[in-house]
Amino acid sequence: MYTTGVRSNNAQVIRREVGRLVVKNAYPRPVSFYAAGAYGDFNIHRLPLAGYKAGLHIASQEIDAQAQIGQFLRTTRKQTAIAVRQQVQANPNTAIRSQKTGKPLDKWTASHWQQITWRLGYTTIFDLLGRLRISQSSREIERYVEADIDFKLFHSSLLSIVSYLNGIHETYVAKALGLARYEQLVRELPSHLQAGFVQERLRTRVQPTLLGAEPAPELKMAA
């Protein structure tokens, strides 16, 4: 994003711009799904099976996976919409008011929700991951830790998703800088980061993508 002129550390700005990139197909199909629309009228895009009822068990078929992701997108967008409404109504300059009393409205109609839809941006995989962060205002991860689920599988899956996304971003950076310059950056990483996951993704993802070649076999010490 920095190479395209988006030079901000504001989380909301980054979230909005990343959402636009997802919609513009800047990400591969497996992570290009998103939700849009006003509260009560959400639309799920690029997940044709997302309308089916989501089960409570680990997805064993594509229909189960899409249904669960669709449900996650809807609940996440609902949370975002409610939070935005609270922000809008708490600000005297933006609050939607009653035409009779002039006071901020406590109850909203569909038209009121539509007025703030532009503030929501798009809801993407990054919003889903954002629900797992730990901060003073976000403790949702505790629900997953305490739930009766295979937490090791949950953690392993989360690591795989993050690694996949990082590989995409690192490939974009390498393309913007030039592969030779990016390889130099990887070689100059602090010692505790060398010979680790960044170098592994360079070999198995970044180089093959930019060079159009199969990843080189990993050399290991003989027993």
Side-chain angles (χ1 to χ4, degrees):
M1 293 177 66
Y2 191 89
T3 62
T4 60
V6 181
R7 302 178 179 182
S8 173
N9 290 325
N10 183 287
Q12 291 303 316
V13 172
I14 298 298
R15 175 184 167 277
R16 184 178 64 249
E17 295 300 325
V18 167
R20 289 175 179 172
L21 287 174
V22 171
V23 173
K24 291 180 180 179
N25 285 310
Y27 286 87
R29 184 175 175 273
V31 291
S32 68
F33 51 80
Y34 66 96
Y39 181 92
D41 189 27
F42 298 149
N43 300 306
I44 308 299
H45 298 263
R46 299 175 187 158
L47 283 176
L49 305 178
Y52 287 87
K53 184 177 180 180
L56 299 176
H57 303 289
I58 294 176
S60 59
Q61 301 180 57
E62 185 171 358
I63 186 174
D64 301 320
Q66 290 198 27
Q68 290 179 8
I69 295 172
Q71 182 183 52
F72 206 0
L73 284 171
R74 281 186 285 270
T75 58
T76 302
R77 191 165 181 81
K78 179 180 178 180
Q79 288 183 1
T80 303
I82 293 173
V84 169
R85 170 186 164 166
Q86 292 173 343
Q87 293 173 359
V88 168
Q89 293 303 89
N91 186 337
N93 297 320
T94 61
I96 298 177
R97 301 175 180 276
S98 168
Q99 294 182 349
K100 294 182 178 180
T101 65
K103 296 181 179 180
L105 285 172
D106 292 327
K107 295 183 179 180
W108 278 18
T109 64
S111 64
H112 295 133
W113 285 109
Q114 289 172 359
Q115 291 181 46
I116 68 164
T117 300
W118 67 273
R119 297 176 181 268
L120 304 183
Y122 299 102
T123 303
T124 70
I125 188 173
F126 296 99
D127 296 284
L128 305 189
L129 293 174
R131 289 177 63 176
L132 304 182
R133 69 186 183 277
I134 299 177
S135 66
Q136 290 183 340
S137 60
S138 180
R139 309 295 303 184
E140 276 204 75
I141 188 64
E142 294 177 353
R143 294 173 52 224
Y144 297 93
V145 174
E146 297 170 359
D148 184 21
I149 62 174
D150 186 339
F151 190 74
K152 287 186 177 180
L153 177 60
F154 178 91
H155 184 254
S156 175
S157 299
L158 182 59
L159 286 178
S160 296
I161 293 170
V162 172
S163 179
Y164 179 80
L165 292 170
N166 283 345
I168 296 169
H169 294 149
E170 288 160 6
T171 303
Y172 269 120
V173 173
K175 185 175 181 179
L177 295 177
L179 183 56
R181 173 62 181 136
Y182 182 75
E183 290 172 339
Q184 180 182 346
L185 281 177
V186 173
R187 289 194 298 269
E188 294 174 350
L189 287 172
S191 57
H192 67 283
L193 295 178
Q194 292 182 7
F197 49 84
V198 176
Q199 191 173 59
E200 174 66 10
R201 282 197 294 264
L202 170 61
R203 185 186 68 82
T204 61
R205 304 187 194 182
V206 178
Q207 290 174 334
T209 299
L210 297 184
L211 298 176
E214 293 294 324
E218 184 178 1
L219 299 178
K220 295 184 177 181
M221 184 179 297

